[in-house]
Amino acid sequence: MDKLSVMNAFCRIVERGSFSRAAEDLGVSPALLSREVKLLEDSLGASLLTRTTRTMSLTDNGRLFYDEALGILGAVSQVEDRIRAGAGAVSGHLKVNASHSFGQMVIAPLLPDFLAQYPDVRLTLSLDDRVVDMIEGGFDVSIRIRSTMPDSALIARKIGTMRQRIFAAPEYLARNGTPKTPYDLEHHPVVGFLLADHLNSWRLNSPGGIVIVPLDPFVRVGNSLVVRDLLLAGLGVGTPDFISDAEEAKGTLVRVLPDHELPAPEIFAITGSRLGLDARVSAFLDHLSVALRR
């Protein structure tokens, strides 16, 4: 028995003074209402209504139940109204998880504008290069960069694509020569990204098709910012993904084999609910998506 539904029906019967009129309002049969009230009375062990062929009146217990039911239904309605209003408001505590490099280079710069636009949002940004348990960590959204997302109960929304190109410092290339073909890379030290799915080989897209180059990185690190810094120090070649843009613009890193790139992984926003995103998560992802398009 749905107690709230029965409460609502009982109150309607009392207010309309008739099973038939209440049934008409609720779109059900009078027989169904009569059966529900009987079940309610049986569960309470008390009569709520005194009925004759012509009249209906409340018992003392019926009056008590009616008064209390009105208060309960009113409180439930207020809670529902508050939740509906809050669901559309960009406010509350937003917990975001991302990798260190993506968090520092992409998310952190957009936070001042986001928080100025939504001053009622409290933000926690947790940076971790490991894949964390979102539910256990209590995160609203996690930003992950993957070629594909494995099947799971989590919901993945693609918000961007990341190019993967090969870079080196000009000083390194001046000392060691510039690779002319993909196979020349086998004679150059590679700075490998420990968490990449291409750690031991590069599957390069080129004008002539796909070229697979086996790798044995002499140093492997689990943070893209460290990959960038080691390349800046002239230790070899590598693919420091999105964090190389500023260095390329300054000329401190240059493209190697500019006609060749690794397959572009996707940037996913991971959430834990199949329901529509709440307002603060939607606002954050919209803000991030605009930044990624730029």
Side-chain angles (χ1 to χ4, degrees):
M1 179 172 53
D2 183 339
K3 290 286 183 69
L4 286 178
S5 177
V6 173
M7 279 184 184
N8 183 61
F10 182 79
C11 291
R12 187 64 60 90
I13 292 166
V14 174
E15 291 158 359
R16 295 289 277 156
S18 157
F19 277 81
S20 59
R21 286 193 291 267
E24 184 178 349
D25 290 348
L26 297 172
V28 298
S29 69
L32 176 61
L33 284 189
S34 180
R35 187 161 58 250
E36 291 291 327
V37 170
K38 181 65 169 61
L39 288 173
L40 176 61
E41 290 177 325
D42 290 345
S43 71
L44 296 172
S47 296
L48 303 178
L49 294 170
T50 299
R51 286 164 278 183
T52 68
T53 55
R54 294 187 177 183
T55 63
M56 181 189 73
S57 61
L58 285 169
T59 65
D60 289 343
N61 285 325
R63 171 59 62 183
L64 174 62
F65 187 86
Y66 173 73
D67 291 340
E68 294 297 329
L70 281 181
I72 292 170
L73 292 171
V76 170
S77 179
Q78 288 179 9
V79 170
E80 290 175 341
D81 288 344
R82 288 170 59 190
I83 290 175
R84 290 190 187 101
V90 183
S91 62
H93 191 182
L94 176 65
K95 296 187 68 176
V96 179
N97 165 258
S99 68
H100 281 94
S101 54
F102 192 87
Q104 291 178 47
M105 300 300 294
V106 179
I107 296 179
L110 64 82
L111 290 183
D113 284 344
F114 175 75
L115 294 173
Q117 187 174 351
Y118 302 107
D120 293 329
V121 170
R122 295 169 52 237
L123 179 77
T124 294
L125 175 60
S126 174
L127 302 182
D128 196 323
D129 288 322
R130 300 169 302 165
V131 176
V132 301
D133 186 322
M134 281 190 58
I135 306 303
E136 182 177 327
F139 295 108
D140 297 297
V141 60
S142 179
I143 308 300
R144 300 179 188 172
I145 301 172
R146 295 286 185 274
S147 299
T148 59
M149 287 302 300
D151 292 336
S152 76
L154 301 175
I155 311 306
R157 169 186 171 187
K158 190 178 84 169
I159 58 173
T161 301
M162 186 188 75
R163 298 180 67 184
Q164 292 198 103
R165 299 157 294 172
I166 308 169
F167 289 90
E171 294 79 4
Y172 169 82
L173 297 175
R175 291 195 313 269
N176 299 279
T178 300
K180 302 300 183 184
T181 73
Y183 301 106
D184 291 340
L185 294 169
E186 296 181 47
H187 307 295
H188 289 263
V190 172
V191 179
F193 180 45
L194 189 60
L195 305 179
D197 54 10
H198 54 261
L199 181 62
N200 296 312
S201 68
W202 283 346
R203 184 182 177 89
L204 300 173
N205 295 321
S206 73
I210 295 175
V211 180
I212 299 177
V213 179
L215 301 176
D216 184 16
F218 82 105
V219 60
R220 309 172 184 212
V221 296
N223 185 293
S224 295
L225 293 171
V226 179
V227 174
R228 178 201 62 186
D229 291 344
L230 293 178
L231 295 184
L232 289 171
L235 267 67
V237 298
T239 59
D241 50 67
F242 54 88
I243 63 176
S244 60
D245 291 344
E247 304 302 334
E248 184 180 17
K250 292 186 295 186
T252 50
L253 288 178
V254 297
R255 291 281 305 276
V256 174
L257 299 172
D259 291 336
H260 295 73
E261 291 188 18
L262 281 86
E266 309 291 356
I267 304 171
F268 292 99
I270 313 299
T271 57
S273 173
R274 294 188 180 273
L275 300 176
L277 299 179
D278 66 29
R280 65 183 183 274
V281 175
S282 293
F284 176 77
L285 294 183
D286 289 345
H287 205 80
L288 178 56
S289 297
V290 170
L292 291 174
R293 287 196 293 271
R294 289 199 299 266

